[in-house]
Amino acid sequence: MIQTNQLQYTYPKGSTISFPDFEISSGDKLLILGPSGCGKTTLLHLLGGLLPCTNGKITINQKDISTLKSKEMDQFRGDNIGIIFQKPHFAQALTVAENLAFAQQAGGKKTDKSRIEHLLSKLGIIKHKDRLPQKMSEGEKQRLSVAMALINKPALLLADEPTASLDDHHAFEVIHLLKEIAAEENSALVIVTHDSRLKEEFKDHILTLKSI
Ligand SMILES: Nc1ncnc2c1ncn2[C@@H]1O[C@H](COP(=O)(O)OP(=O)(O)OP(=O)(O)O)[C@@H](O)[C@H]1O
């Protein structure tokens, strides 16, 4: 489903970071663990096609994404990739359901109310459907960002530090939900984090990055 090969990124100021190769199949999961500043967010942005890799190759669903032009990448991402960012982004003037409908349209899909309601129920935030995101707690906003990432049934789900600032109970709850929904939808799940509490949840599906 996704494979990386000799991936490198050079920042505008000139420092280069190299990443180990890895491969994940559909429905499989990988925890990318490493200390602050080791390049986790950079790697996630490369995998999501938000940054172009300087060297090497990322293949997603048999497509080498480094060959895609910016607009083609946007289209490819809309069709194949869901991203849960460290800080959620919502349209504040739209309700929760409208945000999700907007994400469906942005992904070139028609509004599918039953998909929206299914995800909101699954994530335990259906009561917020017709409310504005700013009325939600931080934990609920995080669940909404999970729904936003999953709305178009991505083959690849990327999550950047989804448990940062959550206590043990909520951290494991979010991880269980991500694993459950990814497995249910046969999405490959990649989480980047410094949160070593998650090791026990991923056991032999862990890639450790070293400090640079
Ligand atoms: N635009 C940039 N220009 C130069 N260096 C950068 C840039 N963005 C990030 N870096 C550096 O590259 C390294 C990796 O950054 P990155 O944000 O990917 O790390 P991270 O592992 O996600 O860190 P954290 O866990 O603290 O979010 C860091 O040393 C950072 O200072």
Side-chain angles (χ1 to χ4, degrees):
M1 194 278 135
I2 175 166
Q3 276 171 304
T4 69
N5 197 273
Q6 305 200 340
L7 208 54
Q8 286 191 322
Y9 182 72
T10 302
Y11 293 102
K13 281 188 185 161
S15 58
T16 295
I17 180 164
S18 303
F19 298 99
D21 293 351
F22 63 87
E23 184 171 351
I24 316 167
S25 308
S26 295
D28 213 346
K29 54 191 179 305
L30 183 69
L31 185 76
I32 299 178
L33 196 62
S36 180
C38 73
K40 300 182 298 294
T41 298
T42 304
L43 176 57
L44 188 109
H45 287 183
L46 292 171
L47 299 177
L50 298 166
L51 277 178
C53 52
T54 318
N55 284 305
K57 198 163 131 175
I58 302 171
T59 311
I60 299 176
N61 272 345
Q62 281 91 47
K63 188 97 188 161
D64 175 1
I65 65 166
S66 55
T67 63
L68 298 176
K69 299 203 173 73
S70 165
K71 272 199 173 159
E72 291 169 334
M73 187 62 232
D74 290 344
Q75 171 87 50
F76 184 83
R77 189 183 309 109
D79 289 340
N80 295 280
I81 307 173
I83 307 178
I84 302 166
F85 292 99
Q86 222 166 337
K87 289 193 184 124
H89 306 279
F90 311 118
Q92 295 298 342
L94 301 181
T95 65
V96 164
E98 286 166 349
N99 264 279
L100 288 161
F102 182 73
Q104 285 178 325
Q105 284 155 26
K109 309 261 188 326
K110 286 191 182 146
T111 302
D112 178 348
K113 285 189 181 168
S114 66
R115 173 79 181 153
I116 292 174
E117 286 172 10
H118 169 74
L119 282 177
L120 292 177
S121 301
K122 184 96 201 165
L123 291 160
I125 48 172
I126 188 76
K127 66 176 182 204
H128 291 285
K129 184 164 87 82
D130 299 314
R131 297 183 192 158
L132 296 175
Q134 69 215 35
K135 301 266 156 100
M136 301 167 93
S137 74
E138 289 311 305
E140 288 164 342
K141 282 183 196 161
Q142 196 172 28
R143 282 155 185 264
L144 176 56
S145 63
V146 173
M148 296 281 281
L150 284 163
I151 193 70
N152 294 325
K153 300 194 175 175
L156 173 63
L157 181 61
L158 304 173
D160 193 358
E161 299 279 8
T163 55
S165 73
L166 293 183
D167 61 30
D168 287 358
H169 174 74
H170 287 100
F172 287 113
E173 198 175 62
V174 164
I175 290 304
H176 291 157
L177 265 170
L178 280 176
K179 282 168 65 177
E180 186 186 322
I181 300 179
E184 208 174 270
E185 309 212 336
N186 205 30
S187 302
L189 171 65
V190 178
I191 295 178
V192 301
T193 189
H194 69 273
D195 189 347
S196 52
R197 290 177 298 179
L198 305 186
K199 273 184 180 172
E200 63 184 91
E201 286 288 329
F202 287 81
K203 296 195 171 75
D204 48 352
H205 300 271
I206 298 176
L207 177 72
T208 306
L209 299 183
K210 296 192 180 79
S211 309
I212 48 173

